[in-house]
Structure formats: structure tokens, C-alpha cells
Amino acid sequence: MSVCSCISTTCVVIVILQIIKTLVPWLYKNLLGPKFFGPKIDVRRMGQWAVITGATDGIGKAYAKALAKKGVNVVLISRSKDKLEKVAEEIKSASSAQVKIIDVDFTQGPEIYDKIEKGIAGLEVGTLVNNVGMSYANPEFFLSIQDRDKLLRDIIECNIHSVTHMCKLVMPGMVERKKGVIINISSLSAVVPSPLLSVYGATKAFVDKFSVDLNTEYSSQGIIVQSVLPGYVATNMSKIRKETFLAPNSDNYVASALTTLVALKFYGPKLNPLYHSEILSRCVLPDICGRDNLLRLVPHETVEATTRIA
Ligand SMILES: NC(=O)c1ccc[n+]([C@@H]2O[C@H](COP(=O)([O-])OP(=O)(O)OC[C@H]3O[C@@H](n4cnc5c(N)ncnc54)[C@H](OP(=O)(O)O)[C@@H]3O)[C@@H](O)[C@H]2O)c1
């Protein structure tokens, strides 16, 4: 073998080894690990009840169904009483879980939290899913948003205040019992550019930042806060009717998201339900977003909290 071919073979081997060194841990961390190995968080052990906001459709309804199937009783919170009753019946007929409903409109100011507080009084709430959220009817320039003052106030009430208020109501019980899971639904638009949805994106960035820091504050007290950043999911909000290659349906999305609720020590700080839409966004946008954003997926958990639960 000539010196030249020897050098080129060595170079090819080095490149292949480098690729394997990068690819195998990535595949393990993002695909195989969460699905097949390691400690999972048993939501039943967190507490008998889960509270889900925005539970009558889309991602929230999918969380309610999935948690009920895991044997957790569910409190469904949404705006329309008839839809709440229908979803409650659906869940009861598909599982043995108890179901409570609370009808409130999250754009209606702080008074609604008194009703929620009464509705969940005495329940051992181990899981809170802060899912409710709203956006503009259509993407729009900030100054051209129709009925801007009201809409922006509503979006902020619904997307931000609901999260902090619900945490305030539910967390004291979790801290007392030294365990609990809070799942906050942010959005990919929190970390990638979202022009024409600037206020929506900013509210979701709040949810993400709040979740990460809250997790750090309370992980030593046994509470895990997960920030979930969906890309497109086929729901009413996205106006995508059917599951596509780029947009999973909400049941499949939530099933995947729940598998990421695992120990950080085992898999590293940030995991992601693997969907093409998110991968594409992150491959296409790195130059605009910066490399760190490629890694800011979901969820955020800390070593201390998860080790104790595992
Ligand atoms: N779908 C996506 O592609 C996507 C992507 C990223 C992030 N997200 C986030 O995921 C979360 C859920 O979105 P989704 O797509 O599942 O939405 P969805 O299918 O439109 O469902 C929204 C749910 O929230 C309830 N809701 C809406 N406004 C409310 C209010 N003011 N007060 C009380 N309940 C209210 C709705 O109740 P009613 O049935 O009574 O209207 C419904 O149960 C949101 O936070 C959203 O920002 C979604």
C-alpha cells in the first residue's frame, strides 16, 4: 500500500469514527434511551390527581386521556361546559379514572382562580399540565392586529398568568409532599424566530424561561418542571386537520412527550419528542437562531429531583 492510500484510509477511518462518536450518543439520548431504558417517572406515585388546563381539545385533551389511562384521576379545566362534560364522559368510558370538571375562561381575570382553588381543594394533585394557550387568529404585523388591546391582554392572561397562577395554587401541596410534576406547554416559537406572532412567541418564551428557573428552584424539594416546546401539532389552533409528516396528531405527540419525562442524570438535561417538524426547523434555522437553540428542546430536569424519584 502506498503512503498516499495509507493516509487517505486513515483519514476516512477517523471521519467515520468521529461520526459514530457523535451519532451514537445522540441516537441513544434522543431515541433509544427515553423509549426503552432507564427510570421513568411514575405519575401515579406523584399524587392521585392531575390538573390539566385547556383540556377539551388538542394537546390538553391528549394529556388528560393519557394520564387517566395511567391510572391518575383528572381535573379538566376549560371554557365550554358542554365540551368538558363530553370529554369527561369519554375519559370515564375509556379508563377507571375519576374525572372532575371546572369551567372557567382564562381571559377573565384573577377571580377565576378562586373557583379553581375551590374545585381542587382537598385533592392530592401530583401532576399539573399548564397547557391552555391562545394565539392570533392569523399571523399579523404587531401594529395591524385587530382589536389589539383586548387580544394582547387576553393572550398574556391566558398564556402567562394562567401558568403562574396555577403553579401558585398547586405547588404548596407538592412541596408539602415533596413530590410533583409540572408540565408547561411552551412552543417552538419561544426559541426560533416567530415574526408576525411576536406577542405569542414572547409569551411562550416566558413559559420556557419560567419553567427552567422554577425547576432549578424546586428540584431539591422533589418537584420536576418540564418545559415542552412543540413544533406543529395537528389541532384546532394550528389549523392542521390531519396528522402529516411534519405535524403529529396530539395523541401521538403527547405519548412521545411523556416518554421524555425521564431522569436527567440518565439522559442529559434536554430531551425532545422527535418530530420531523422540529428537527427540520432546527436544521434549517441554526444560523439564524444560534447553535444553543438547536439544543434547547424539551424537557428540562435536574439531577437532584430526578435521582430522588428514580
Ligand atoms: N398545535 C400546535 O401546533 C402548537 C404548537 C406549539 C405550541 N402549542 C401550544 O399547545 C397548547 C395547546 O394548543 P392546542 O393546539 O392543543 O390548542 P386547541 O386544540 O385549540 O385547544 C385549546 C384548548 O384550550 C381551551 N381554551 C382556549 N382558550 C381558553 C380560555 N380562554 N379559557 C379556557 N380554556 C381555553 C380550549 O377550550 P375550548 O374547547 O372551550 O375552546 C381547548 O380545550 C397551547 O398552549 C399552544 O400554544 C400548540
Side-chain angles (χ1 to χ4, degrees), residues 54-60 77-80 83 104-107 131-134 158 185-188 200 204 230-238:
T56 44
D57 244 315
I59 296 172
I77 308 182
S78 252
R79 179 167 56 174
S80 333
K83 278 177 82 177
V104 290
D105 184 334
F106 282 98
T107 62
N131 163 78
V132 73
M134 58 182 285
C158 195
I185 309 299
S186 171
S187 166
L188 193 58
Y200 173 76
K204 291 300 180 178
Y232 284 119
V233 179
T235 66
N236 290 342
M237 182 189 265
S238 64

mmCIF file of all heavy atoms in Angstrom, residues 54-60 77-80 83 104-107 131-134 158 185-188 200 204 230-238, ligand 1:
data_model
loop_
_atom_site.group_PDB
_atom_site.id
_atom_site.type_symbol
_atom_site.label_atom_id
_atom_site.label_comp_id
_atom_site.label_asym_id
_atom_site.label_seq_id
_atom_site.Cartn_x
_atom_site.Cartn_y
_atom_site.Cartn_z
ATOM 1 N N GLY A 54 -57.041 23.767 29.626
ATOM 2 C CA GLY A 54 -57.273 23.658 28.172
ATOM 3 C C GLY A 54 -57.442 22.206 27.773
ATOM 4 O O GLY A 54 -56.840 21.741 26.807
ATOM 5 N N ALA A 55 -58.324 21.508 28.542
ATOM 6 C CA ALA A 55 -58.349 20.043 28.453
ATOM 7 C C ALA A 55 -59.412 19.484 27.518
ATOM 8 O O ALA A 55 -59.592 18.272 27.455
ATOM 9 C CB ALA A 55 -58.549 19.459 29.859
ATOM 10 N N THR A 56 -60.126 20.355 26.793
ATOM 11 C CA THR A 56 -61.219 19.816 25.982
ATOM 12 C C THR A 56 -60.838 19.588 24.527
ATOM 13 O O THR A 56 -61.666 19.138 23.735
ATOM 14 C CB THR A 56 -62.440 20.769 26.022
ATOM 15 O OG1 THR A 56 -61.982 22.108 25.875
ATOM 16 C CG2 THR A 56 -63.219 20.610 27.303
ATOM 17 N N ASP A 57 -59.622 19.914 24.166
ATOM 18 C CA ASP A 57 -59.230 19.726 22.768
ATOM 19 C C ASP A 57 -57.724 19.563 22.674
ATOM 20 O O ASP A 57 -56.989 19.865 23.618
ATOM 21 C CB ASP A 57 -59.648 20.953 21.929
ATOM 22 C CG ASP A 57 -60.678 20.572 20.887
ATOM 23 O OD1 ASP A 57 -60.456 19.541 20.241
ATOM 24 O OD2 ASP A 57 -61.693 21.285 20.756
ATOM 25 N N GLY A 58 -57.276 19.109 21.522
ATOM 26 C CA GLY A 58 -55.861 19.125 21.171
ATOM 27 C C GLY A 58 -54.929 18.495 22.194
ATOM 28 O O GLY A 58 -55.204 17.424 22.745
ATOM 29 N N ILE A 59 -53.846 19.182 22.460
ATOM 30 C CA ILE A 59 -52.767 18.640 23.298
ATOM 31 C C ILE A 59 -53.253 18.418 24.736
ATOM 32 O O ILE A 59 -52.932 17.410 25.360
ATOM 33 C CB ILE A 59 -51.544 19.596 23.245
ATOM 34 C CG1 ILE A 59 -50.995 19.653 21.810
ATOM 35 C CG2 ILE A 59 -50.462 19.166 24.222
ATOM 36 C CD1 ILE A 59 -49.914 20.702 21.570
ATOM 37 N N GLY A 60 -54.055 19.351 25.258
ATOM 38 C CA GLY A 60 -54.541 19.223 26.633
ATOM 39 C C GLY A 60 -55.430 18.002 26.809
ATOM 40 O O GLY A 60 -55.301 17.244 27.779
ATOM 41 N N ILE A 77 -59.911 21.454 33.060
ATOM 42 C CA ILE A 77 -60.286 22.873 33.149
ATOM 43 C C ILE A 77 -60.312 23.466 31.742
ATOM 44 O O ILE A 77 -59.312 23.375 31.013
ATOM 45 C CB ILE A 77 -59.294 23.671 34.020
ATOM 46 C CG1 ILE A 77 -59.099 22.982 35.380
ATOM 47 C CG2 ILE A 77 -59.795 25.095 34.223
ATOM 48 C CD1 ILE A 77 -58.184 23.716 36.330
ATOM 49 N N SER A 78 -61.445 24.025 31.388
ATOM 50 C CA SER A 78 -61.584 24.689 30.080
ATOM 51 C C SER A 78 -62.742 25.653 30.135
ATOM 52 O O SER A 78 -63.397 25.794 31.161
ATOM 53 C CB SER A 78 -61.827 23.650 28.984
ATOM 54 O OG SER A 78 -60.698 23.510 28.183
ATOM 55 N N ARG A 79 -63.052 26.201 28.982
ATOM 56 C CA ARG A 79 -64.030 27.258 28.927
ATOM 57 C C ARG A 79 -65.447 26.738 28.733
ATOM 58 O O ARG A 79 -66.381 27.192 29.388
ATOM 59 C CB ARG A 79 -63.550 28.070 27.739
ATOM 60 C CG ARG A 79 -64.131 29.174 27.240
ATOM 61 C CD ARG A 79 -63.267 29.914 26.271
ATOM 62 N NE ARG A 79 -62.784 29.134 25.133
ATOM 63 C CZ ARG A 79 -62.119 29.656 24.158
ATOM 64 N NH1 ARG A 79 -61.831 30.944 24.168
ATOM 65 N NH2 ARG A 79 -61.707 28.923 23.165
ATOM 66 N N SER A 80 -65.644 25.742 27.857
ATOM 67 C CA SER A 80 -67.006 25.335 27.476
ATOM 68 C C SER A 80 -67.475 24.139 28.292
ATOM 69 O O SER A 80 -66.889 23.055 28.200
ATOM 70 C CB SER A 80 -67.055 24.974 25.999
ATOM 71 O OG SER A 80 -66.069 25.644 25.282
ATOM 72 N N LYS A 83 -68.477 20.927 26.342
ATOM 73 C CA LYS A 83 -67.324 20.165 25.853
ATOM 74 C C LYS A 83 -66.626 19.444 27.003
ATOM 75 O O LYS A 83 -66.183 18.310 26.870
ATOM 76 C CB LYS A 83 -66.330 21.102 25.149
ATOM 77 C CG LYS A 83 -66.712 21.405 23.705
ATOM 78 C CD LYS A 83 -65.753 22.381 23.062
ATOM 79 C CE LYS A 83 -64.502 21.740 22.540
ATOM 80 N NZ LYS A 83 -63.617 22.720 21.845
ATOM 81 N N VAL A 104 -63.939 27.540 33.352
ATOM 82 C CA VAL A 104 -63.511 28.940 33.519
ATOM 83 C C VAL A 104 -62.915 29.419 32.212
ATOM 84 O O VAL A 104 -62.423 28.615 31.412
ATOM 85 C CB VAL A 104 -62.430 29.123 34.618
ATOM 86 C CG1 VAL A 104 -62.968 28.894 36.011
ATOM 87 C CG2 VAL A 104 -61.214 28.259 34.353
ATOM 88 N N ASP A 105 -62.952 30.730 32.031
ATOM 89 C CA ASP A 105 -62.310 31.333 30.867
ATOM 90 C C ASP A 105 -61.039 32.037 31.367
ATOM 91 O O ASP A 105 -61.120 32.969 32.182
ATOM 92 C CB ASP A 105 -63.281 32.333 30.211
ATOM 93 C CG ASP A 105 -62.700 32.927 28.943
ATOM 94 O OD1 ASP A 105 -61.460 32.996 28.819
ATOM 95 O OD2 ASP A 105 -63.496 33.338 28.083
ATOM 96 N N PHE A 106 -59.894 31.584 30.907
ATOM 97 C CA PHE A 106 -58.629 32.109 31.423
ATOM 98 C C PHE A 106 -58.343 33.549 31.003
ATOM 99 O O PHE A 106 -57.341 34.110 31.415
ATOM 100 C CB PHE A 106 -57.465 31.188 31.027
ATOM 101 C CG PHE A 106 -57.374 29.958 31.879
ATOM 102 C CD1 PHE A 106 -57.906 28.746 31.443
ATOM 103 C CD2 PHE A 106 -56.784 30.001 33.135
ATOM 104 C CE1 PHE A 106 -57.826 27.612 32.232
ATOM 105 C CE2 PHE A 106 -56.706 28.870 33.940
ATOM 106 C CZ PHE A 106 -57.228 27.668 33.492
ATOM 107 N N THR A 107 -59.218 34.136 30.188
ATOM 108 C CA THR A 107 -59.011 35.550 29.848
ATOM 109 C C THR A 107 -59.801 36.464 30.786
ATOM 110 O O THR A 107 -59.797 37.680 30.621
ATOM 111 C CB THR A 107 -59.456 35.841 28.396
ATOM 112 O OG1 THR A 107 -60.853 35.582 28.286
ATOM 113 C CG2 THR A 107 -58.710 34.992 27.393
ATOM 114 N N ASN A 131 -51.428 23.771 30.011
ATOM 115 C CA ASN A 131 -51.487 23.643 28.554
ATOM 116 C C ASN A 131 -52.226 24.789 27.878
ATOM 117 O O ASN A 131 -51.928 25.134 26.734
ATOM 118 C CB ASN A 131 -52.175 22.312 28.219
ATOM 119 C CG ASN A 131 -52.662 22.259 26.792
ATOM 120 O OD1 ASN A 131 -51.885 22.050 25.866
ATOM 121 N ND2 ASN A 131 -53.970 22.474 26.598
ATOM 122 N N VAL A 132 -53.180 25.416 28.607
ATOM 123 C CA VAL A 132 -54.050 26.370 27.912
ATOM 124 C C VAL A 132 -53.218 27.482 27.258
ATOM 125 O O VAL A 132 -52.225 27.943 27.821
ATOM 126 C CB VAL A 132 -55.125 26.957 28.861
ATOM 127 C CG1 VAL A 132 -54.544 27.957 29.846
ATOM 128 C CG2 VAL A 132 -56.261 27.575 28.070
ATOM 129 N N GLY A 133 -53.627 27.835 26.053
ATOM 130 C CA GLY A 133 -52.896 28.884 25.355
ATOM 131 C C GLY A 133 -53.703 29.371 24.172
ATOM 132 O O GLY A 133 -54.576 28.664 23.670
ATOM 133 N N MET A 134 -53.459 30.607 23.774
ATOM 134 C CA MET A 134 -54.137 31.131 22.588
ATOM 135 C C MET A 134 -53.157 31.984 21.777
ATOM 136 O O MET A 134 -52.117 32.410 22.280
ATOM 137 C CB MET A 134 -55.382 31.926 22.981
ATOM 138 C CG MET A 134 -55.121 33.082 23.912
ATOM 139 S SD MET A 134 -56.631 33.948 24.371
ATOM 140 C CE MET A 134 -56.999 34.870 22.886
ATOM 141 N N CYS A 158 -54.004 34.471 29.267
ATOM 142 C CA CYS A 158 -54.199 33.045 29.011
ATOM 143 C C CYS A 158 -52.865 32.278 28.993
ATOM 144 O O CYS A 158 -52.765 31.183 29.530
ATOM 145 C CB CYS A 158 -54.913 32.918 27.660
ATOM 146 S SG CYS A 158 -55.614 31.332 27.359
ATOM 147 N N ILE A 185 -46.646 23.802 28.766
ATOM 148 C CA ILE A 185 -46.589 23.743 27.307
ATOM 149 C C ILE A 185 -46.193 25.116 26.768
ATOM 150 O O ILE A 185 -46.976 26.060 26.768
ATOM 151 C CB ILE A 185 -47.935 23.294 26.690
ATOM 152 C CG1 ILE A 185 -48.444 22.003 27.358
ATOM 153 C CG2 ILE A 185 -47.774 23.107 25.173
ATOM 154 C CD1 ILE A 185 -47.548 20.795 27.232
ATOM 155 N N SER A 186 -44.942 25.192 26.342
ATOM 156 C CA SER A 186 -44.430 26.403 25.693
ATOM 157 C C SER A 186 -44.645 26.221 24.189
ATOM 158 O O SER A 186 -45.706 25.738 23.769
ATOM 159 C CB SER A 186 -42.953 26.575 26.065
ATOM 160 O OG SER A 186 -42.347 27.596 25.333
ATOM 161 N N SER A 187 -43.664 26.518 23.387
ATOM 162 C CA SER A 187 -43.789 26.346 21.938
ATOM 163 C C SER A 187 -42.413 26.510 21.312
ATOM 164 O O SER A 187 -41.550 27.207 21.854
ATOM 165 C CB SER A 187 -44.729 27.421 21.379
ATOM 166 O OG SER A 187 -44.620 27.472 19.979
ATOM 167 N N LEU A 188 -42.264 25.883 20.172
ATOM 168 C CA LEU A 188 -41.025 26.076 19.417
ATOM 169 C C LEU A 188 -40.815 27.558 19.096
ATOM 170 O O LEU A 188 -39.692 28.041 19.004
ATOM 171 C CB LEU A 188 -41.112 25.265 18.114
ATOM 172 C CG LEU A 188 -39.839 25.056 17.311
ATOM 173 C CD1 LEU A 188 -38.771 24.373 18.134
ATOM 174 C CD2 LEU A 188 -40.143 24.247 16.063
ATOM 175 N N TYR A 200 -47.303 36.261 20.789
ATOM 176 C CA TYR A 200 -47.476 34.837 21.120
ATOM 177 C C TYR A 200 -46.112 34.205 21.442
ATOM 178 O O TYR A 200 -45.937 33.567 22.470
ATOM 179 C CB TYR A 200 -48.149 34.105 19.956
ATOM 180 C CG TYR A 200 -48.209 32.604 20.146
ATOM 181 C CD1 TYR A 200 -49.128 32.028 21.017
ATOM 182 C CD2 TYR A 200 -47.324 31.760 19.465
ATOM 183 C CE1 TYR A 200 -49.169 30.644 21.200
ATOM 184 C CE2 TYR A 200 -47.362 30.383 19.645
ATOM 185 C CZ TYR A 200 -48.290 29.833 20.513
ATOM 186 O OH TYR A 200 -48.320 28.474 20.703
ATOM 187 N N LYS A 204 -44.611 32.551 25.026
ATOM 188 C CA LYS A 204 -44.119 31.175 25.136
ATOM 189 C C LYS A 204 -42.667 31.152 25.630
ATOM 190 O O LYS A 204 -42.241 30.220 26.292
ATOM 191 C CB LYS A 204 -44.268 30.455 23.795
ATOM 192 C CG LYS A 204 -45.735 30.201 23.428
ATOM 193 C CD LYS A 204 -46.405 29.338 24.494
ATOM 194 C CE LYS A 204 -47.845 29.041 24.221
ATOM 195 N NZ LYS A 204 -48.456 28.168 25.230
ATOM 196 N N PRO A 230 -43.535 22.310 21.618
ATOM 197 C CA PRO A 230 -43.972 21.639 20.391
ATOM 198 C C PRO A 230 -43.691 22.481 19.154
ATOM 199 O O PRO A 230 -43.752 23.708 19.199
ATOM 200 C CB PRO A 230 -45.494 21.500 20.566
ATOM 201 C CG PRO A 230 -45.782 21.870 21.988
ATOM 202 C CD PRO A 230 -44.668 22.743 22.449
ATOM 203 N N GLY A 231 -43.413 21.784 18.049
ATOM 204 C CA GLY A 231 -43.460 22.405 16.725
ATOM 205 C C GLY A 231 -44.916 22.340 16.299
ATOM 206 O O GLY A 231 -45.814 22.515 17.118
ATOM 207 N N TYR A 232 -45.174 22.037 15.037
ATOM 208 C CA TYR A 232 -46.575 21.921 14.629
ATOM 209 C C TYR A 232 -47.190 20.626 15.150
ATOM 210 O O TYR A 232 -46.591 19.564 15.042
ATOM 211 C CB TYR A 232 -46.696 21.945 13.105
ATOM 212 C CG TYR A 232 -46.539 23.330 12.531
ATOM 213 C CD1 TYR A 232 -45.519 23.616 11.645
ATOM 214 C CD2 TYR A 232 -47.426 24.326 12.889
ATOM 215 C CE1 TYR A 232 -45.377 24.890 11.126
ATOM 216 C CE2 TYR A 232 -47.287 25.613 12.369
ATOM 217 C CZ TYR A 232 -46.260 25.877 11.494
ATOM 218 O OH TYR A 232 -46.114 27.138 10.991
ATOM 219 N N VAL A 233 -48.391 20.741 15.712
ATOM 220 C CA VAL A 233 -49.181 19.573 16.097
ATOM 221 C C VAL A 233 -50.553 19.791 15.452
ATOM 222 O O VAL A 233 -51.059 20.929 15.444
ATOM 223 C CB VAL A 233 -49.308 19.479 17.637
ATOM 224 C CG1 VAL A 233 -50.143 18.266 18.035
ATOM 225 C CG2 VAL A 233 -47.927 19.409 18.292
ATOM 226 N N ALA A 234 -51.124 18.726 14.909
ATOM 227 C CA ALA A 234 -52.413 18.877 14.210
ATOM 228 C C ALA A 234 -53.542 19.089 15.218
ATOM 229 O O ALA A 234 -53.990 18.151 15.880
ATOM 230 C CB ALA A 234 -52.678 17.637 13.357
ATOM 231 N N THR A 235 -53.955 20.333 15.385
ATOM 232 C CA THR A 235 -55.029 20.686 16.332
ATOM 233 C C THR A 235 -55.822 21.859 15.746
ATOM 234 O O THR A 235 -55.453 22.414 14.714
ATOM 235 C CB THR A 235 -54.462 21.157 17.692
ATOM 236 O OG1 THR A 235 -53.764 22.386 17.476
ATOM 237 C CG2 THR A 235 -53.540 20.143 18.338
ATOM 238 N N ASN A 236 -56.857 22.275 16.477
ATOM 239 C CA ASN A 236 -57.620 23.450 16.049
ATOM 240 C C ASN A 236 -56.726 24.678 15.954
ATOM 241 O O ASN A 236 -56.844 25.489 15.047
ATOM 242 C CB ASN A 236 -58.736 23.765 17.055
ATOM 243 C CG ASN A 236 -59.822 22.722 16.995
ATOM 244 O OD1 ASN A 236 -59.914 21.983 16.026
ATOM 245 N ND2 ASN A 236 -60.640 22.651 18.039
ATOM 246 N N MET A 237 -55.837 24.824 16.938
ATOM 247 C CA MET A 237 -55.023 26.037 16.968
ATOM 248 C C MET A 237 -54.121 26.151 15.743
ATOM 249 O O MET A 237 -54.011 27.212 15.141
ATOM 250 C CB MET A 237 -54.172 26.099 18.235
ATOM 251 C CG MET A 237 -53.359 27.366 18.313
ATOM 252 S SD MET A 237 -52.174 27.380 19.627
ATOM 253 C CE MET A 237 -53.086 28.201 20.886
ATOM 254 N N SER A 238 -53.489 25.054 15.379
ATOM 255 C CA SER A 238 -52.570 25.112 14.227
ATOM 256 C C SER A 238 -53.333 25.107 12.906
ATOM 257 O O SER A 238 -52.752 25.366 11.854
ATOM 258 C CB SER A 238 -51.604 23.922 14.262
ATOM 259 O OG SER A 238 -52.327 22.717 14.122
HETATM 260 N N1 LIG B 1 -50.968 22.969 17.969
HETATM 261 C C1 LIG B 1 -49.747 23.397 17.781
HETATM 262 O O1 LIG B 1 -49.199 23.285 16.676
HETATM 263 C C2 LIG B 1 -48.981 24.002 18.928
HETATM 264 C C3 LIG B 1 -47.623 24.300 18.719
HETATM 265 C C4 LIG B 1 -46.895 24.861 19.765
HETATM 266 C C5 LIG B 1 -47.492 25.100 20.984
HETATM 267 N N2 LIG B 1 -48.828 24.807 21.161
HETATM 268 C C6 LIG B 1 -49.400 25.084 22.474
HETATM 269 O O2 LIG B 1 -50.103 23.954 22.932
HETATM 270 C C7 LIG B 1 -51.171 24.363 23.777
HETATM 271 C C8 LIG B 1 -52.449 23.680 23.339
HETATM 272 O O3 LIG B 1 -52.712 24.041 21.995
HETATM 273 P P1 LIG B 1 -53.658 23.179 21.050
HETATM 274 O O4 LIG B 1 -53.105 23.299 19.694
HETATM 275 O O5 LIG B 1 -53.896 21.841 21.637
HETATM 276 O O6 LIG B 1 -54.994 24.078 21.095
HETATM 277 P P2 LIG B 1 -56.519 23.689 20.799
HETATM 278 O O7 LIG B 1 -56.640 22.397 20.096
HETATM 279 O O8 LIG B 1 -57.095 24.900 20.167
HETATM 280 O O9 LIG B 1 -57.133 23.509 22.269
HETATM 281 C C9 LIG B 1 -57.116 24.576 23.154
HETATM 282 C C10 LIG B 1 -57.778 24.167 24.446
HETATM 283 O O10 LIG B 1 -57.683 25.268 25.351
HETATM 284 C C11 LIG B 1 -59.001 25.697 25.707
HETATM 285 N N3 LIG B 1 -59.023 27.146 25.783
HETATM 286 C C12 LIG B 1 -58.656 28.017 24.822
HETATM 287 N N4 LIG B 1 -58.801 29.273 25.276
HETATM 288 C C13 LIG B 1 -59.280 29.182 26.529
HETATM 289 C C14 LIG B 1 -59.634 30.122 27.510
HETATM 290 N N5 LIG B 1 -59.553 31.428 27.284
HETATM 291 N N6 LIG B 1 -60.077 29.683 28.705
HETATM 292 C C15 LIG B 1 -60.197 28.379 28.950
HETATM 293 N N7 LIG B 1 -59.861 27.420 28.064
HETATM 294 C C16 LIG B 1 -59.414 27.819 26.862
HETATM 295 C C17 LIG B 1 -59.902 25.208 24.611
HETATM 296 O O11 LIG B 1 -61.210 25.130 25.162
HETATM 297 P P3 LIG B 1 -62.497 25.289 24.236
HETATM 298 O O12 LIG B 1 -62.656 23.970 23.626
HETATM 299 O O13 LIG B 1 -63.576 25.671 25.149
HETATM 300 O O14 LIG B 1 -62.165 26.347 23.223
HETATM 301 C C18 LIG B 1 -59.253 23.862 24.295
HETATM 302 O O15 LIG B 1 -59.605 22.900 25.244
HETATM 303 C C19 LIG B 1 -51.233 25.889 23.687
HETATM 304 O O16 LIG B 1 -50.616 26.442 24.817
HETATM 305 C C20 LIG B 1 -50.434 26.200 22.435
HETATM 306 O O17 LIG B 1 -49.847 27.466 22.497
HETATM 307 C C21 LIG B 1 -49.579 24.259 20.154
#
